[in-house]
Amino acid sequence: MTLAWIDLRTVAQQHVEGVVDAAIHSRLHGVVSDDPAVLATLPPTIVSVLVGEEEGFTGITATVVADQAELDALVLAAGDRDNVAAWVDVRDDRTLQLACAAAVALPYSIVWFADPTKIPLEIVLAAADRAPGKLFTVCGDIEEASIVVDVLERGSEGVMLAPKDATEVFALSRMLEATSPKLELATLIVDRIEHHGLGDRVCVDTCTHFEEDEGILVGSFSTGFLLSCSETHPLPYMPTRPFRVNAGALHSYVLGPENRTNYLSELHSGSTVLAVNSEGRTRRVVVGRSKLESRPLLSITAHSVDGVVVSLTVQDDWHVRLLGPGGKVRNVTELQQGDELLGYLATDQRHVGIPIGEFCKES
């Protein structure tokens, strides 16, 4: 998970205690201050970051550097210590190059960018790609922090935020926790295939490229989903569309972030779903558009080794595909009884997409 440092230096005095308590409660990585006395009150579970120097201080010390000579002096003084950080304000190409050098040379670097564009951050991330140090990007608010963590698909190792109060600390923590956890996928055995004639199905066009073993989890029942393959694999008569999943009938559930579901019919531009690969790794993807059209449909019914029944209704066409163990691509019109598919089993029923512990029977 992306690390987070909370900067206390501009927090109003009446909110400092609450902000510190929120940072500790949220298990954030560190607290930044220019007052050693404030940092001395922190428990050992959170890192102390001092802007400036203090004899005997054992946490991370951050020194503002304005040119290469100051950076060289800091690197020389740091030696093999692992608790030294450089702070660089990036305002032009010269200071951008200084930030790149700091990110490569030191255990920690803190970078503030004068301009709203994220191109300079991309350059620093690329320069420090193989460096062992950690880069912290100063963010003006939660929205900027959410953008920073996705720059170049990986973001900086950390974000630093000066919150107004404890509420913003908790909001930052929730945003960082929204990164998708790995799912435990199950192998499901096909029981039957049934053809149903005309119905409405949904293609989900996202704002990202899927990998060859990625798709989205879709199912007719809230307790089980099948891994519907993206159109990354070659097809006859048409080009590949690696951003698209021909997902299923409009009534189907699709799994999204934070264990929430939507009906496929509810997706629209700006919605979010989970991209899931054959090993269960997930990532949040944004929907560019949802395309509903009438097509012939078929349904697939499968079961887990524990007897959980999973169903999915999809377009009845060869180019609609599901993923099997190992990322094996299976065309839905060629599925047979006994074939293996990848899926995800959920223990919760759903109410308006939210997991809920109540009795519900689906068939």
Side-chain angles (χ1 to χ4, degrees):
M1 189 178 87
T2 303
L3 304 177
W5 286 354
I6 296 300
D7 188 357
L8 298 178
R9 293 174 301 157
T10 59
V11 176
Q13 187 59 43
Q14 66 267 28
H15 293 303
V16 168
E17 183 178 355
V19 165
V20 171
D21 288 345
I24 295 169
H25 179 78
S26 301
R27 300 182 181 274
L28 298 186
H29 186 253
V31 169
V32 180
S33 178
D34 52 11
D35 185 352
V38 171
L39 297 175
T41 65
L42 297 176
T45 55
I46 196 164
V47 173
S48 300
V49 184
L50 177 66
V51 180
E53 294 286 340
E54 177 75 13
E55 186 175 351
F57 183 74
T58 58
I60 297 171
T61 56
T63 302
V64 177
V65 295
D67 55 42
Q68 189 63 47
E70 291 181 355
L71 177 60
D72 291 342
L74 181 61
V75 172
L76 182 63
D80 59 357
R81 290 162 54 203
D82 62 359
N83 64 340
V84 176
W87 183 308
V88 182
D89 289 347
V90 173
R91 301 179 182 276
D92 50 26
D93 185 65
R94 181 188 65 81
T95 49
L96 175 59
Q97 298 309 315
L98 184 63
C100 291
V104 170
L106 287 169
Y108 296 93
S109 53
I110 303 166
V111 184
W112 174 83
F113 296 94
D115 297 316
T117 173
K118 294 298 177 281
I119 299 300
L121 174 57
E122 292 181 5
I123 293 170
V124 177
L125 287 171
D129 184 52
R130 298 185 184 277
K134 292 181 170 58
L135 171 68
F136 281 76
T137 303
V138 179
C139 299
D141 52 34
I142 304 296
E143 182 178 2
E144 184 179 7
S146 69
I147 295 170
V148 164
V149 299
D150 286 331
V151 170
L152 290 187
E153 297 186 5
R154 68 177 182 88
S156 58
E157 284 80 12
V159 295
M160 191 169 91
L161 177 71
K164 294 182 179 66
D165 52 32
T167 301
E168 288 197 351
V169 178
F170 289 121
L172 177 64
S173 176
R174 287 193 299 271
M175 185 275 292
L176 295 176
E177 288 175 353
T179 53
S180 303
K182 187 175 181 180
L183 297 177
E184 188 71 33
L185 297 184
T187 298
L188 303 168
I189 310 300
V190 174
D191 293 320
R192 64 183 184 274
I193 308 294
E194 297 174 286
H195 301 268
H196 300 299
L198 200 64
D200 293 336
R201 69 95 175 100
V202 177
C203 277
V204 181
D205 290 348
T206 71
C207 299
T208 190
H209 278 74
F210 286 91
E211 299 296 330
E212 290 188 351
D213 69 336
E214 273 187 318
I216 61 177
L217 287 165
V218 190
S220 292
F221 303 156
S222 62
T223 50
F225 306 81
L226 292 172
L227 188 51
S228 186
C229 183
S230 61
E231 295 185 7
T232 54
H233 300 273
L235 294 164
Y237 314 117
M238 60 187 300
T240 59
R241 294 183 172 91
F243 55 84
R244 170 176 293 175
V245 179
N246 190 329
L250 79 168
H251 74 280
S252 308
Y253 287 110
V254 58
L255 190 64
E258 301 179 41
N259 195 26
R260 296 287 296 270
T261 60
N262 286 99
Y263 293 120
L264 286 176
S265 62
E266 296 174 336
L267 296 183
H268 54 79
S269 179
S271 297
T272 56
V273 296
L274 283 185
V276 184
N277 78 355
S278 60
E279 296 180 353
R281 289 195 297 272
T282 68
R283 58 190 177 107
R284 175 183 172 274
V285 296
V286 177
V287 176
R289 70 166 178 165
S290 174
K291 190 160 73 90
L292 186 149
E293 296 164 313
S294 294
R295 296 289 188 270
L297 301 178
L298 66 79
S299 63
I300 303 146
T301 304
H303 70 274
S304 70
V305 293
D306 297 324
V308 177
V309 176
V310 177
S311 176
L312 176 62
T313 301
V314 297
Q315 181 178 341
D316 190 345
D317 195 280
W318 182 87
H319 78 274
V320 180
R321 294 155 163 180
L322 303 176
L323 288 172
K328 182 178 177 62
V329 179
R330 293 191 172 278
N331 306 316
V332 296
T333 54
E334 297 180 349
L335 286 174
Q336 298 179 11
Q337 186 178 15
D339 285 344
E340 294 183 340
L341 299 172
L342 281 177
Y344 175 66
L345 304 178
T347 57
D348 301 303
Q349 301 296 334
R350 302 274 169 173
H351 180 64
V352 294
I354 303 171
I356 184 171
E358 67 174 6
F359 174 77
C360 177
K361 183 178 180 180
E362 299 171 294
S363 61

